[in-house]
Amino acid sequence: MPQKTIAVIGTGVIGNGWIARFLANGHQVTAFDPAPGAQEKTEAFLHAVWPTLATYGMAEDASMEHLSFAKTLEEAVQHVDLVQENVPEREDVKTEVLSQVDATAPATAVIASSTSGYKPSVLQKDCTLHPERVIVAHPFNPVYLIPLVELAKGEKTDPSMVEKARGIYDGLNMKPLVMSGEIDGHIGDRLMEAIWRESLHIVNDGAATTEEVDKAIVYGPGLRWALMGPFLTLHLAGGNQGMAHMLEQFGPALKLPWTRLVAPELTEELSQKVIKGTEDQSGERTVQEMEHRRDRFLIKLMQLLEEEGFWPSERLVRHDS
């Protein structure tokens, strides 16, 4: 993809992850964050993850030198192709920032929010100049490695801007997933939230520790979900008749009280169970050490997924026909 100029507004964990991915793909990045020491933190983060990015694969012209920090938001979003917003997850903060971006950024620029929860129609409500270019582009941590980005359009969004965004993210070696509609929490976070709530109930009830819950995912459904997701996994559970037989046989189980989707009260006792449990799991390993381990694993796993050629829009080729 030809070099783009991209503005990143907000340089926390997600914003810095975007900066790393943009730079690794050879683009120019202008960042803005009014927090004290933001630039120094971003530069330290980039130096820490750059070897990982080199292992994963970079564009020939990738360089940390392509990053600059602007003194104002208005300066950051001038002459850009894409604005990636990553400010705190508060509706009033996001709508105000996006309104400022809308008033300043070029009319042709895509304005994308990394929001994990808000619908694009909510985020674009105060954008009076060009709300049609405001979308949700929700990534997953670590943004510099995880390829999925959920794209959602709002009531005022021009579909052509979604397609433009899809092309940009696709050129970043990502897997842009354009949602059919818009919903609070989008797709991935809603699914993760459901599992998280059930996990808290299981730990709160004393049925399992945090380590046991994690093992139940890692060595069980997590292995299958990495390739097929929940629907195709259950399709195979139906044998030769697939999902039709699975629903017929196991459909009645949906009425059983196996799950408690309403979250338990986060009491001090439950909080300490979760905190101590994860600390025990971590052992002597620091968060940074576990991040490096996670990243090494993700690179290997994504290479395996590429070998298998899986992506929902693709069709598996049958070799027995």
Side-chain angles (χ1 to χ4, degrees):
M1 181 173 63
Q3 187 181 66
K4 302 287 185 182
T5 301
I6 301 169
V8 173
I9 309 302
T11 58
V13 172
I14 300 300
N16 280 337
W18 275 121
I19 290 173
R21 184 175 280 274
F22 294 145
L23 293 175
N25 282 274
H27 301 296
Q28 294 279 349
V29 178
T30 303
F32 172 72
D33 192 321
Q39 182 171 351
E40 290 75 15
K41 291 178 181 178
T42 295
E43 291 172 351
F45 169 79
L46 289 173
H47 280 96
V49 302
W50 207 251
T52 298
L53 290 167
T55 300
Y56 184 44
M58 291 183 177
E60 290 184 3
D61 52 350
S63 172
M64 286 186 280
E65 299 299 319
H66 291 166
L67 171 67
S68 62
F69 266 74
K71 292 184 172 59
T72 65
L73 181 147
E74 290 75 15
E75 178 188 345
V77 302
Q78 292 179 8
H79 316 299
V80 297
D81 302 290
L82 169 70
V83 179
Q84 192 75 44
E85 170 270 309
N86 317 278
V87 300
E89 198 74 3
R90 284 177 42 194
E91 181 180 334
D92 59 335
V93 175
K94 284 190 175 291
T95 53
E96 180 181 357
V97 168
L98 290 170
S99 176
Q100 294 174 13
V101 172
D102 177 55
T104 310
T108 56
V110 175
I111 301 176
S113 174
S114 297
T115 180
S116 59
Y118 294 114
K119 294 187 287 189
S121 291
V122 172
L123 299 178
Q124 65 188 187
K125 65 181 181 180
D126 292 338
C127 296
T128 57
L129 191 61
H130 292 292
E132 70 277 1
R133 61 340 192 344
V134 177
I135 66 168
V136 161
H138 173 234
F140 291 79
N141 189 46
V143 183
Y144 55 87
L145 287 182
I146 297 289
L148 180 63
V149 55
E150 296 175 328
L151 305 184
K153 57 184 181 294
E155 296 173 358
K156 300 178 181 178
T157 305
D158 186 334
S160 68
M161 297 303 286
V162 178
E163 288 305 308
K164 182 176 181 178
R166 186 211 295 261
I168 293 174
Y169 294 114
D170 186 66
L172 295 168
N173 196 29
M174 300 189 81
K175 300 292 187 183
L177 174 61
V178 179
M179 295 176 56
S180 300
E182 57 176 332
I183 187 172
D184 291 327
H186 323 309
I187 302 172
D189 275 3
R190 290 178 74 98
L191 296 173
M192 289 192 297
E193 177 71 11
I195 294 176
W196 171 235
R197 292 181 183 189
E198 289 304 311
S199 299
L200 288 176
H201 275 297
I202 290 170
V203 172
N204 191 49
D205 295 344
T209 64
T210 60
E211 182 176 11
E212 291 165 350
V213 170
D214 283 355
K215 284 182 176 178
I217 294 295
V218 171
Y219 294 108
L223 290 172
R224 299 177 299 189
W225 288 342
L227 176 65
M228 292 187 250
F231 281 105
L232 275 183
T233 294
L234 293 177
H235 177 61
L236 269 61
N240 291 334
Q241 296 178 5
M243 183 63 78
H245 178 66
M246 200 289 302
L247 292 177
E248 179 182 355
Q249 184 171 1
F250 298 105
L254 293 173
K255 297 293 184 181
L256 298 177
W258 284 3
T259 57
R260 300 166 60 182
L261 289 180
V262 176
E265 181 181 354
L266 195 59
T267 62
E268 180 64 22
E269 180 182 4
L270 176 55
S271 295
Q272 288 306 312
K273 280 186 178 180
V274 174
I275 293 170
K276 185 179 185 305
T278 50
E279 287 178 347
D280 289 344
Q281 286 178 257
S282 302
E284 298 298 320
R285 294 173 296 185
T286 67
V287 170
Q288 290 73 25
E289 288 171 339
M290 289 190 291
E291 286 176 340
H292 291 320
R293 178 173 179 257
R294 174 202 64 193
D295 290 354
R296 290 195 302 270
F297 175 81
L298 286 173
I299 290 174
K300 294 176 183 176
L301 184 59
M302 288 187 292
Q303 290 171 343
L304 180 60
L305 284 173
E306 290 299 319
E307 290 176 13
E308 290 295 327
F310 177 80
W311 179 240
S313 63
E314 297 174 359
R315 294 292 179 265
L316 299 180
V317 178
R318 293 190 59 174
H319 296 287
D320 58 350
S321 58

